[in-house]
């Protein structure tokens, strides 16, 4: 497989894997409007993934024929959907990050600039969707408040990785992005009557893990499901 | 003889004249109670079918074999949720609510299309559903674009456009498989074998057993009989199957020069009735999944309502 070393690969993997997770919601959402919204976000992300992976090689080879250790996505995006609050917390953390990163890339002149300029509009919608739901769940009922806080706390340890410099994008202002991200997340959580989690922002043993191909256990099963049909028919076209 | 208030007779005359002139009945117009309840039943069951119909296809989203196909499938399932929303809105113009209709679905008091009680066992089923199931749905639904009830007719115009697109995509998926490897071709043929007869059942019972047909046709809710639409569908599919390089699983399928139509074999109405009664392969699973999503989502809907109450915003 021909893989070009480009930051498009890790960023494409993020979009691909999060899109896959959101696709698992189809037919299970709490309200019909969310069937539409979650599928819409999943489709936007899949569209981004296809453009980004195509910059690195063949989109289908990259999606279906790499092993777990070759994927460069963040551990955050591979986390299981959990309840609706977990999905919203994951989306809030990720889309806030993605919007900041894409705004930065859109202003530059790299090969990623055109994609980032288009995607940033989609991502602003994703971030707003997650923001609105964080407000509803945080400042809704006692139960929804507790669930939202629990989800934010549970996923917090995967957020440090978001600001590990991506290969090929070392020059991006990562610490500044992290500061702005923290400010925006803090503002949303305060408005939602929630508390910013206090624990460490990364797991103990592998800083920047997903970007180095070190993933969590559920990821292997995600790939097994995603890849099995493609791998069962080598060389077939679909 | 029951006494009818004179104004009601006058209203009824206006209603009859509107229907006779092929004009549309609108939500504020007077309509017979039975017309209203027939429409609520039909539109709601149509909406339920869109919602339950997401499941057999969503079953393959996470396993789609290429990113292009995955995107097409996700978009299709998303469209179905959208169609469900249009249709619930159309039903609501008749004085009912979405929550109540969903409740009737979950409790089994209202039905959805029997076709969605069949399982999607291979990737090719996604293509067979697009070609045959959406094809049958379009054959049924295009005449509904001229239905006498305005909101339903307008919903159908929007839905039919998207459905035709899905149908072409399903056909193209099967064509790719049919022209692919031997294993892919076999997968496509197997899917068509399994979906052909259930698709023919989508047109409902034969004309002499169809309980609502005569009244619905008189009211111009329905424009053609079940058997006429079924025949039209068979006539369309036979040449398409040939172009696909696939066969239809009916040894009796023969061209009838005299009728100018394809003759086809007998439908297994026992199977149809069993599926409608809840004894199809996936009835339990489909309604169970739907109820589970609704129950597990209750706290989310309660949160949205509580937040809206605190902040003075509508929940929807």
């Amino acid at each position: 497989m021909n893989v070009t070393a480009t930051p498009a690969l890790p960023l494409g993997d993020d979009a691909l894997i999060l899109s896959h997770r959101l696709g698992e919601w189809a037919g299970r959402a709490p309200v019909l409007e969310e069937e539409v919204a979650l599928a819409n976000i999943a489709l936007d992300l899949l569209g981004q993934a296809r453009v980004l992976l195509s910059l690195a090689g063949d989109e289908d080879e990259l999606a279906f024929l790499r092993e777990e250790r070759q994927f460069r996505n963040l551990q955050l995006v591979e986390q299981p959907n959990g309840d609706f609050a977990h999905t919203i917390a994951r989306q809030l953390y990720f889309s806030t990050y993605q919007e900041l990163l894409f705004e930065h890339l859109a202003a530059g002149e790299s090969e990623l600039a055109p994609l980032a300029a288009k995607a940033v509009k989609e991502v602003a919608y994703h971030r707003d969707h997650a923001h609105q739901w964080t407000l509803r769940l945080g400042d809704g009922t006692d139960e929804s408040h507790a669930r939202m806080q629990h989800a934010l706390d549970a996923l917090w340890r995967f957020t440090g990785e978001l600001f590990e410099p991506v290969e090929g994008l070392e020059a991006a202002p990562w610490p500044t992005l992290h500061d702005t991200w923290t400010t925006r997340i803090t503002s949303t959580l305060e408005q939602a009557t929630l508390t910013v989690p206090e624990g460490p922002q990364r797991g103990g043993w592998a800083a920047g893990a997903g970007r180095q191909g070190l993933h969590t256990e559920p990821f292997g099963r995600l790939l097994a499901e995603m890849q099995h049909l493609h791998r069962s028919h080598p060389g077939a076209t679909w | 003889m029951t006494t009818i208030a004179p104004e009601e007779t006058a209203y009824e005359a206006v209603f009859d004249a509107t229907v006779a002139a092929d004009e549309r009945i609108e939500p504020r117009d007077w309509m017979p109670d039975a017309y209203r309840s027939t429409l609520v039943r039909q539109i709601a069951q149509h909406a339920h079918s869109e919602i339950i119909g997401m499941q057999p296809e969503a079953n393959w989203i996470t396993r789609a074999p290429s990113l292009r196909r995955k995107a097409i499938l996700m978009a299709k399932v998303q469209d179905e949720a959208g169609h469900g929303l249009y249709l619930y809105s159309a039903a609501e113009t008749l004085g009912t609510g979405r929550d109540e209709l969903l409740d009737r679905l979950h409790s089994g008091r209202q039905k959805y299309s029997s076709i969605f009680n069949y399982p999607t066992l291979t990737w090719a089923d996604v293509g067979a559903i697009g070609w045959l199931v959406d094809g049958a749905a379009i054959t049924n639904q295009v005449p509904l674009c001229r239905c006498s009830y305005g909101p339903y007719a307008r919903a159908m115009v929007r839905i039919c456009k998207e459905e035709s697109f899905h149908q072409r995509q399903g056909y193209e998926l099967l064509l790719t498989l049919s022209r692919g490897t031997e294993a892919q071709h076999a997968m496509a043929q197997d899917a068509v074998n399994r979906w052909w007869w259930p698709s023919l059942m989508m047109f409902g019972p034969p004309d002499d057993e169809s309980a609502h047909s005569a009244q619905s046709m008189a009211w111009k809710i329905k424009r053609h009989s079940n058997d006429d639409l079924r025949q039209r569908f068979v006539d369309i599919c036979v040449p398409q199957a040939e172009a696909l390089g696939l066969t239809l699983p009916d040894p009796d399928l023969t061209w009838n020069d005299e009728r100018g139509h394809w003759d086809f074999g007998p439908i297994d109405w026992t199977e149809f009735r069993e599926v409608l009664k809840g004894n199809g392969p996936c009835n339990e699973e489909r309604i169970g999944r739907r109820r589970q999503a609704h129950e597990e989502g209750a706290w989310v809907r309660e949160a949205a309502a509580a937040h809206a109450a605190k902040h003075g915003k509508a929940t929807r």
Side-chain angles (χ1 to χ4, degrees), chain B residues 181-258:
Chain B
T181 64
E182 213 173 299
Q184 285 177 305
H185 181 91
M187 192 192 278
Q189 183 62 61
D190 171 62
V192 169
N193 292 349
R194 283 181 288 108
W195 288 92
W196 172 248
W197 291 107
S199 302
L200 294 191
M201 295 179 196
M202 285 175 71
F203 296 93
D207 291 347
D208 49 8
E209 290 171 34
S210 180
H212 307 288
S213 277
Q215 183 61 75
S216 289
M217 285 178 76
W219 278 330
K220 295 190 182 170
I221 295 173
K222 227 177 138 140
R223 296 284 180 153
H224 310 279
S225 81
N226 293 353
D227 287 334
D228 284 351
L229 290 170
R230 191 170 6 247
Q231 180 70 60
R232 189 178 295 185
F233 179 67
V234 171
D235 291 346
I236 292 169
C237 285
V238 173
Q240 288 182 343
E242 200 174 324
L244 279 172
L246 298 171
T247 58
L248 295 170
D250 180 358
D252 295 334
L253 205 55
T254 37
W255 176 251
N256 183 326
D257 223 3
E258 213 168 292

Side-chain angles (χ1 to χ4, degrees), chain A residues 20 28 30 32-33 35-36 40 43 50 60 64 133 135 139-140 143-144 147 225-226 229-230 237-238, chain B residues 51 62-71 78 98 123 184 289 297 299-301 303 307 310-311:
Chain A
H20 184 93
R28 299 169 191 267
L32 288 176
E33 284 80 355
E35 294 285 0
V36 178
N40 193 34
L43 271 169
R50 295 182 64 191
D60 283 338
F64 296 103
W133 271 111
L135 300 189
D139 191 13
E143 183 185 5
S144 69
R147 282 184 186 250
E225 184 169 339
M226 183 172 93
L229 178 59
H230 186 98
T237 51
W238 300 94
Chain B
I51 300 309
T62 53
R63 293 176 289 171
S66 75
L67 296 187
R68 174 172 163 262
R69 293 290 180 197
K70 188 172 185 164
Q78 184 192 27
R98 196 210 299 182
W123 170 250
Q184 285 177 305
R289 159 75 67 78
W299 70 272
V300 177
R301 296 190 300 276
H307 183 266
K310 284 185 216 180
H311 299 274

Side-chain angles (χ1 to χ4, degrees), chain A:
Chain A
M1 179 183 321
N2 265 330
V3 186
T4 313
T6 157
L9 189 66
L11 302 187
D13 285 350
D14 287 347
L16 177 72
I17 300 304
L18 185 55
S19 164
H20 184 93
R21 282 295 188 212
L22 292 172
E24 294 173 352
W25 270 104
R28 299 169 191 267
V31 58
L32 288 176
E33 284 80 355
E34 283 306 298
E35 294 285 0
V36 178
L38 294 173
N40 193 34
I41 296 169
L43 271 169
D44 285 346
L45 289 167
L46 184 54
Q48 293 170 16
R50 295 182 64 191
V51 175
L52 287 162
L53 293 181
S54 298
L55 290 172
D58 177 86
E59 60 175 37
D60 283 338
E61 275 187 34
L62 289 169
F64 296 103
L65 298 176
R66 271 182 301 160
E67 305 280 341
E68 188 180 340
R69 292 283 280 110
Q70 297 171 298
F71 274 82
R72 292 288 177 266
N73 56 284
L74 296 161
Q75 290 186 349
L76 176 67
V77 297
E78 74 202 30
Q79 294 311 303
N81 288 334
D83 68 4
F84 191 68
H86 277 78
T87 292
I88 292 299
R90 187 183 62 197
Q91 205 63 38
L92 180 72
Y93 288 156
F94 180 74
S95 56
T96 305
Y97 154 82
Q98 207 189 19
E99 187 181 21
L100 289 169
L101 181 60
F102 281 5
E103 277 169 0
H104 166 78
L105 292 173
E109 284 167 7
S110 73
E111 60 169 359
L112 300 182
L115 170 275
K118 175 175 179 287
V120 81
K121 293 173 200 147
E122 297 166 351
V123 175
Y125 162 79
H126 305 169
R127 202 247 316 127
D128 184 57
H129 173 264
H131 169 81
Q132 297 294 342
W133 271 111
T134 304
L135 300 189
R136 285 189 202 107
L137 298 182
D139 191 13
T141 63
D142 289 346
E143 183 185 5
S144 69
H145 180 89
R147 282 184 186 250
M148 192 64 215
Q149 187 64 56
H150 176 67
L152 290 162
D153 293 346
L155 293 171
W156 185 249
R157 69 192 174 96
F158 299 106
T159 57
E161 193 190 349
L162 273 53
F163 304 97
E164 286 295 321
V166 172
E167 210 177 336
L169 294 178
E170 288 85 354
W174 295 100
T176 312
L177 292 178
H178 193 172
D179 289 346
T180 314
W181 182 88
T182 307
T183 307
R184 289 193 185 176
I185 295 291
T186 304
S187 153
T188 296
L189 298 195
E190 279 175 358
Q191 203 186 333
T193 73
L194 294 158
T195 312
V196 178
E198 281 176 357
Q201 278 182 276
R202 53 175 48 112
W205 63 281
R211 293 286 186 235
Q212 293 156 21
L214 289 171
H215 294 278
T216 56
E217 284 184 349
F219 187 55
R221 283 188 292 281
L222 181 155
L223 287 190
E225 184 169 339
M226 183 172 93
Q227 297 182 337
H228 104 271
L229 178 59
H230 186 98
R231 285 180 181 267
S232 300
H233 296 262
T237 51
W238 300 94

Side-chain angles (χ1 to χ4, degrees), chain B residues 37-168:
Chain B
S37 61
T38 292
L39 275 169
V40 168
R41 179 181 50 81
Q42 184 174 337
I43 301 173
Q45 295 188 1
H46 193 162
H48 301 333
S49 301
E50 296 283 356
I51 300 309
I52 297 283
M54 294 169 71
Q55 289 183 35
E57 294 175 288
N59 185 36
W60 281 92
I61 287 179
T62 53
R63 293 176 289 171
S66 75
L67 296 187
R68 174 172 163 262
R69 293 290 180 197
K70 188 172 185 164
I72 290 172
L73 185 56
M74 269 187 189
K76 180 178 178 191
V77 174
Q78 184 192 27
D79 282 348
E80 283 158 3
H83 295 172
L85 285 170
Y86 298 159
L87 288 162
Y88 285 122
S89 300
E92 285 179 336
T93 65
L94 292 158
T96 179
R98 196 210 299 182
D99 292 345
E100 188 191 325
L101 297 175
L102 281 175
D103 201 48
R104 288 190 205 166
L105 168 66
H106 298 153
S107 61
R109 281 174 294 152
Q110 281 183 337
K111 295 191 190 312
Y112 53 88
S113 176
S114 62
I115 194 79
F116 301 119
N117 293 311
Y118 290 86
T120 47
L121 302 178
T122 71
W123 170 250
D125 290 37
V126 171
I129 289 182
W131 176 44
L132 296 173
V133 175
D134 293 341
I138 294 163
T139 309
N140 257 328
Q141 290 170 8
V142 164
L144 286 173
C145 297
R146 294 185 294 127
C147 157
S148 60
Y149 188 59
Y152 192 25
R154 289 189 288 273
M156 291 322 304
V157 171
R158 298 181 65 175
I159 290 173
C160 283
K161 280 184 198 158
E162 292 177 351
E163 292 287 2
S164 335
F165 192 57
H166 298 159
Q167 201 236 357
R168 281 203 299 275

